């Protein structure tokens, strides 16, 4: 039998992109396969945690013993996260769209006029949770960066009031790939992991989460 180090704990995971509709057939989104977030949810459940996985639109099977809530937009994701609280830890892996538009009720037709989309900012789910009375005692964000990865991730950890930021360099072929190279940024500094299968990144991160929750009960 496996070591159920996270038994009795509730952990929230967000994963995948969000889709922000423009009209009935079009949307705004960030690139995200959801693989890393789903792998993390699976690894946490293997350690015995009760896992709530709030998933944007992806085509992935639900990992064993994980409670999955499917959402489409960032605002739906924010509501689902709210409803799933309280949690002992949260791992926000989702690539949330930064903006939404007021969607047209009918398909927008092509024309010769240039069309402008009025972008409104989405809520920052991680930053909001970090400052809420329901803040989990371990709050982990992700940062997909294409340059100056550690500098941006370090700044993001402070700005969003997260405990850890897992930074990945997405200038290569990470999107949809089975492997990932990450740097874990904490108050203690930066730990850079070798390129690993996403399942191994997930297993190692789940172990670190269990270590951290054991240290600060
Ligand atoms: O600012 P940026 O989008 O790079 O931050 C990434 C981190 O913040 C990820 O953990 C992501 O899940 C989270 N995030 C969020 N809500 C947003 C934007 C990002 O929770 N609207």
């Amino acid at each position: 039998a496996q070591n159920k180090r996270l038994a009795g704990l509730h952990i929230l995971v967000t994963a995948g992109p969000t889709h922000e509709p423009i009209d009935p057939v079009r949307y705004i989104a960030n690139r995200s396969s959801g693989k890393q977030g789903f792998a993390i949810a699976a690894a946490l459940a293997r350690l015995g945690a009760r896992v709530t996985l709030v998933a944007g639109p992806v085509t992935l099977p639900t990992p064993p013993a994980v409670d999955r809530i499917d959402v489409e937009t960032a605002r739906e994701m924010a509501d689902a996260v709210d409803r799933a609280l309280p949690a002992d830890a949260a791992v926000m892996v989702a690539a949330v769209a930064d903006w939404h538009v007021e969607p047209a009720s009918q398909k927008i037709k092509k024309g010769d006029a240039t069309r402008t989309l009025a972008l409104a900012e989405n809520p920052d789910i991680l930053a909001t949770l970090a400052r809420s009375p329901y803040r989990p005692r371990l709050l982990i964000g992700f940062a997909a960066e294409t340059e100056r990865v550690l500098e941006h991730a370090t700044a993001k950890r402070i700005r969003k009031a997260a405990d850890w930021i897992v930074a990945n360099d997405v200038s290569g072929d990470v999107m949809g790939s089975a492997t990932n190279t990450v740097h874990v940024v904490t108050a203690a500094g930066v730990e850079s992991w070798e390129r690993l299968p996403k399942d191994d990144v997930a297993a190692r991160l789940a172990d670190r989460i269990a270590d951290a929750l054991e240290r600060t009960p």
Side-chain angles (χ1 to χ4, degrees), residues 92 94 96 123-126 141-142 156 160:
M92 318 297 269
V96 182
D124 189 313
I125 304 166
L126 170 60
F142 267 64
K156 194 163 292 186
K160 299 210 183 200

Side-chain angles (χ1 to χ4, degrees), residues 42-43 46-47 58 68 103 114 139 157 167 174 193 198-199 208:
R46 278 197 300 271
L47 292 186
V58 294
R68 173 177 180 171
T114 307
L139 183 55
R157 195 186 78 83
V174 173
W193 296 357
K198 286 181 178 175
D199 287 338
R208 294 306 166 86

